[in-house]
């Protein structure tokens, strides 16, 4: 039986950089905290914990003073940096450059909206919106909606919304877009790891429904390193009898990619590690493909390959 590990799977640039920074700091013998799981993979988090990395949440960070805290690739809102300054915390910033650029773009658009007076395109007090139940927002400019296509509550999305003093509107899927106020300007951005196809559907819907008196601009902020994995993993999954998709179950990116594997190859299984592999899956199987998400370490996929060889 042939087993192939997908050469395109594994950590993205942002995750690789964050882990390298953590390892370098820990190698110096320094105590290091990480705000949130450094990557959505439990086994990799456990490996780094054994090296000394201490994972904390925001409440725990408020209790810390004069320590080092690593910010993972997802990014953080401005309030986190303010807290660090107040508590004398040294930040090791591993925010992905793609996410950082997106944060700056949204912040710039938000600041511009603060200086945009209510014009003829704005809705006057008491005037009903075009849609019966628009998403609620207390945006300071009655003319502007900054909209982020992303997973509500996701670390990256919280960092993006934070650039707007929590005034941005988050839409989780295509259905949510129908509740925007199409009489007002819309500036659409996307979480870096979302689906390109769904993002384009959202753009088309807004273009079809936006008022002639309102402005609509969309900004394709999806990471191409992540987006290109969709067609690549589709090709990879299609050429194998059986696919093992190795991924932490917290990974949003992983769920999307695994869904694509299942679409082209029904004999695809989502596993977090080798202990979840079942011998009966391999009946009448000649080729096995092992792949994963941007949060899946190569060493874990290799462990799965080695475990299969012990089973058969």
């Amino acid at each position: 039986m042939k087993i192939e590990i997908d050469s395109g799977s594994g950590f993205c640039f942002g995750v690789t950089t964050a882990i390298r920074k953590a390892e370098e700091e820990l190698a110096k013998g320094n105590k290091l905290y990480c705000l949130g799981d450094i990557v959505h993979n439990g086994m990799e988090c456990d490996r780094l914990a054994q090296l000394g990395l201490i994972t904390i949440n925001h409440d725990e960070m408020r209790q810390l003073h004069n320590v080092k805290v690593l910010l993972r690739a997802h990014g953080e809102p401005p309030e986190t940096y303010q807290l660090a300054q107040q508590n004398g915390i040294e930040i090791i910033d591993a925010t992905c450059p793609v996410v950082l650029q997106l944060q700056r773009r949204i912040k710039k658009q938000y600041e511009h909206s603060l200086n945009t007076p209510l014009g003829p395109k704005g809705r006057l007090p008491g005037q009903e919106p075009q849609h019966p139940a628009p998403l609620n927002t207390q945006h300071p400019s009655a003319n502007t909606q900054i909209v982020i296509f992303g997973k509500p509550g996701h670390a990256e999305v919280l960092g993006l919304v934070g650039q707007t003093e929590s005034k941005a509107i988050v839409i989780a899927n295509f259905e949510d877009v129908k509740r925007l106020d199409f009489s007002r300007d819309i500036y659409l951005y996307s979480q870096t790891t979302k689906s390109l196809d769904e993002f384009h559907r959202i753009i088309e819907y807004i273009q079809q429904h936006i008022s002639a008196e309102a402005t609509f601009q969309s900004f394709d902020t999806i990471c191409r390193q992540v987006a290109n994995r969709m067609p690549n993993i589709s090709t990879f999954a299609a050429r194998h009898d059986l696919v093992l998709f190795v991924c932490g179950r917290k990974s949003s990116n992983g769920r999307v990619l695994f869904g694509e594997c299942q679409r082209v190859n029904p004999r695809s299984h989502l596993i977090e590690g080798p202990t979840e592999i079942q011998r009966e899956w391999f009946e009448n199987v000649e080729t096995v493909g092992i792949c994963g998400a941007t949060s899946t370490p190569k060493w874990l996929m290799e462990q799965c390959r080695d475990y299969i060889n012990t089973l058969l």
Side-chain angles (χ1 to χ4, degrees):
M1 188 174 64
K2 180 183 176 183
I3 304 173
E4 180 186 5
I5 295 177
D6 177 27
S7 60
S9 290
F11 291 151
C12 64
F13 170 80
V15 171
T16 299
T17 301
I19 290 173
R20 189 191 72 242
K21 286 187 175 184
E23 290 174 333
E24 289 174 352
E25 195 64 32
L26 293 168
K28 298 174 186 175
N30 296 328
K31 192 170 188 178
L32 181 63
Y33 296 88
C34 181
L35 187 55
D37 290 340
I38 193 169
V39 63
H40 289 151
N41 184 280
M43 296 183 73
E44 178 66 8
C45 288
D46 289 343
R47 183 186 74 84
L48 290 168
Q50 291 172 10
L51 295 178
L53 186 64
I54 303 168
T55 301
I56 58 171
N57 58 35
H58 288 83
D59 289 337
E60 290 167 330
M61 182 175 171
R62 292 187 184 92
Q63 309 304 317
L64 297 177
H65 294 81
N66 305 313
V67 296
K68 292 185 177 183
V69 174
L70 182 139
L71 303 185
R72 55 194 177 165
H74 301 87
E76 284 289 323
E79 291 78 10
T80 299
Y81 294 88
Q82 294 166 6
L83 173 63
Q85 188 173 20
Q86 292 168 8
N87 288 9
I89 293 172
E90 180 182 341
I91 289 293
I92 298 175
D93 200 339
T95 303
C96 173
V98 178
V99 174
L100 194 58
Q101 182 183 36
L102 174 54
Q103 287 184 347
R104 290 169 178 162
R105 291 177 71 172
I106 290 176
K107 181 178 176 65
K108 184 177 180 180
Q109 181 62 57
Y110 175 70
E111 290 174 344
H112 175 74
S113 73
L114 293 176
N115 299 316
T116 303
L118 178 62
K121 289 184 284 187
R123 200 168 72 241
L124 298 174
Q127 182 179 350
E128 290 300 317
Q130 284 188 336
H131 247 265
L135 290 166
N136 184 37
T137 178
Q138 300 298 318
H139 203 286
S141 169
N143 222 28
T144 304
Q145 298 167 98
I146 293 178
V147 180
I148 298 169
F149 170 44
K151 180 182 177 182
H154 187 279
E156 180 187 330
V157 174
L158 292 175
L160 300 178
V161 172
Q163 308 305 314
T164 68
E165 298 179 303
S166 300
K167 303 300 193 300
I169 301 169
V170 178
I171 56 174
N173 50 50
F174 176 75
E175 291 303 313
D176 282 351
V177 74
K178 299 175 183 179
R179 295 179 54 215
L180 294 175
D181 184 347
F182 296 100
S183 69
R184 296 164 59 208
D185 295 349
I186 296 174
Y187 295 87
L188 175 68
Y189 300 84
S190 175
Q191 180 182 344
T192 59
T193 55
K194 294 296 283 184
S195 162
L196 266 173
D197 290 342
E198 192 169 13
F199 185 62
H200 290 150
R201 284 184 68 204
I202 289 169
I203 290 172
E204 290 175 8
Y205 188 91
I206 296 174
Q207 288 172 334
Q208 293 167 3
H209 293 82
I210 192 80
S211 166
E213 298 299 314
T215 298
F216 170 54
Q217 290 186 33
S218 62
F219 306 91
D220 184 349
T221 52
I222 294 173
C223 175
R224 283 304 180 271
Q225 189 183 7
V226 174
N228 290 339
R229 293 195 180 193
M230 186 71 81
N232 293 342
I233 214 160
S234 177
T235 302
F236 179 82
R239 70 170 180 257
H240 292 289
D241 298 329
L242 175 77
V243 173
L244 298 182
F245 189 88
V246 188
C247 172
R249 290 186 169 84
K250 290 183 180 179
S251 172
S252 300
N253 162 256
R255 282 193 292 273
V256 173
L257 290 174
F258 175 62
E260 181 65 12
C261 284
Q262 278 192 312
R263 187 185 69 81
V264 300
N265 188 337
R267 296 186 73 176
S268 296
H269 300 275
L270 175 66
I271 59 172
E272 287 197 333
T275 58
E276 296 182 12
I277 297 172
Q278 300 178 30
R279 182 191 297 269
E280 56 266 28
W281 291 346
F282 301 96
E283 293 180 8
N284 302 317
V285 169
E286 295 183 2
T287 65
V288 176
I290 301 176
C291 51
T294 58
S295 55
T296 305
K298 273 280 171 51
W299 62 261
L300 184 55
M301 290 184 280
E302 291 168 354
Q303 278 191 358
C304 292
R305 176 200 60 201
D306 296 343
Y307 185 79
I308 294 170
N309 285 328
T310 65
L311 282 180
L312 306 175

